[in-house]
Amino acid sequence: MEQLLLVIAAGGALWNGWQIARLSGRVDALESTMQTVLTLLAGRVPESTNRPSAQP
């Protein structure tokens, strides 16, 4: 019976490790996306400075 409990505990530990790895991958992907968006926003010139003024 004790060996069965150890096998179940080991399986649970593997399952938790896999879930943590998946969550870590999602966080890395989110961080990468946010960095890309912020880089694009920082490099973009506002449209108001690109257009000629409507007033003479």
Side-chain angles (χ1 to χ4, degrees):
M1 182 69 174
E2 186 178 328
Q3 289 179 348
L4 177 63
L5 292 176
L6 288 174
V7 169
I8 292 172
L14 287 173
W15 176 259
N16 285 338
W18 180 69
Q19 291 293 331
I20 291 169
R22 283 185 60 212
L23 179 60
S24 175
R26 289 179 183 170
V27 170
D28 289 343
L30 179 61
E31 179 185 8
S32 175
T33 301
M34 289 179 62
Q35 183 177 8
T36 302
V37 169
L38 291 174
T39 300
L40 290 173
L41 290 175
R44 184 180 292 176
V45 178
E47 289 184 29
S48 62
T49 60
N50 285 338
R51 321 181 232 194
S53 177
Q55 299 173 352

